[in-house]
Amino acid sequence: MKIYTRRGDEGQTDLRDMSRVSKGSPRIEAYGNADELNSLIGTIRPTGYEDIDEDLAAVQNHLHIVQADFANPDPDPDDPVIEERHVDQLETWIDEASAELDPLESFILPGGSDAGAALHHARSVCRRAERRAVAFQAEADGVNGQAVAYLNRLSDLLFTLARLVNEREGVAEAHPTY
């Protein structure tokens, strides 16, 4: 199988159902941003913390489902889709990580250790992916709302994991000054 097909040379791409769409469409923006986030998370692992790495590996698989979900205009019952259980899993991980942290009482500046700063970066990319997914949802029928909710909750997890890594590495949180 060749990696290039030349089918996209005119600015069109295939969806999962083999229909053609512009590479600039909101659908492609939505799953392209999820792909970018997935790639970024791949650069963060390993963090040096097995529990966090396991969560991030699962997130990467979930993001692959988000991409497939957004790329499929008419999913069959057996097609991969993000479900409420995926969002619930993120909430469980957030609660587990939060149990190790002091309560958040004010805004913090993104940064810290290498892994902590990278997780903050991933959080901001996740927020962009969520914005693109919301724009896609506003323009198209049948967009899986659970996939959009997943991206919203994922940004919360990435923020919490950034705090957790920094806490474990003894890096104090920096707060903005006004």
Side-chain angles (χ1 to χ4, degrees):
M1 179 173 124
K2 287 186 177 183
I3 193 67
Y4 61 90
T5 63
R6 298 185 178 136
R7 289 182 44 80
D9 291 353
E10 301 297 320
Q12 298 278 310
T13 193
D14 295 322
L15 297 178
R16 183 154 179 185
D17 66 357
M18 299 311 291
S19 61
R20 303 281 289 162
V21 65
S22 167
K23 289 182 177 184
S25 77
R27 178 183 301 276
I28 304 306
E29 277 289 315
Y31 77 70
N33 275 270
D35 183 31
E36 179 184 357
L37 175 59
N38 202 343
S39 297
L40 180 57
I41 290 172
T43 69
I44 298 169
R45 290 188 313 119
T47 62
Y49 300 98
E50 187 175 336
D51 58 337
I52 293 172
D53 291 343
E54 288 173 3
D55 293 352
L56 292 176
V59 163
Q60 285 192 279
N61 282 291
H62 295 169
L63 284 170
H64 195 75
I65 297 170
V66 169
Q67 292 169 243
D69 200 338
F70 288 164
N72 196 349
D74 190 24
D76 291 327
D78 294 335
D79 287 340
V81 294
I82 290 293
E83 300 171 0
E84 185 176 6
R85 67 183 172 89
H86 295 106
V87 178
D88 291 345
Q89 181 63 70
L90 295 178
E91 291 176 358
T92 297
W93 292 332
I94 292 167
D95 293 342
E96 290 170 356
S98 294
E100 278 189 57
L101 297 167
D102 290 333
L104 187 64
E105 295 182 4
S106 66
F107 289 108
I108 62 171
L109 295 173
S113 67
D114 288 346
L119 284 159
H120 277 296
H121 181 199
R123 174 201 43 85
S124 68
V125 171
C126 186
R127 285 291 185 203
R128 178 170 24 95
E130 179 190 8
R131 290 189 304 272
R132 296 302 185 267
V134 167
F136 168 46
Q137 187 177 39
E139 289 196 13
D141 293 327
V143 176
N144 180 3
Q146 288 297 321
V148 177
Y150 182 88
L151 292 171
N152 180 45
R153 206 73 79 257
L154 178 56
S155 65
D156 296 333
L157 174 66
L158 295 169
F159 176 79
T160 305
L161 292 179
R163 292 188 67 217
L164 181 58
V165 166
N166 285 336
E167 171 71 21
R168 287 180 181 177
E169 295 189 10
V171 177
E173 294 178 336
H175 300 278
T177 57
Y178 299 98

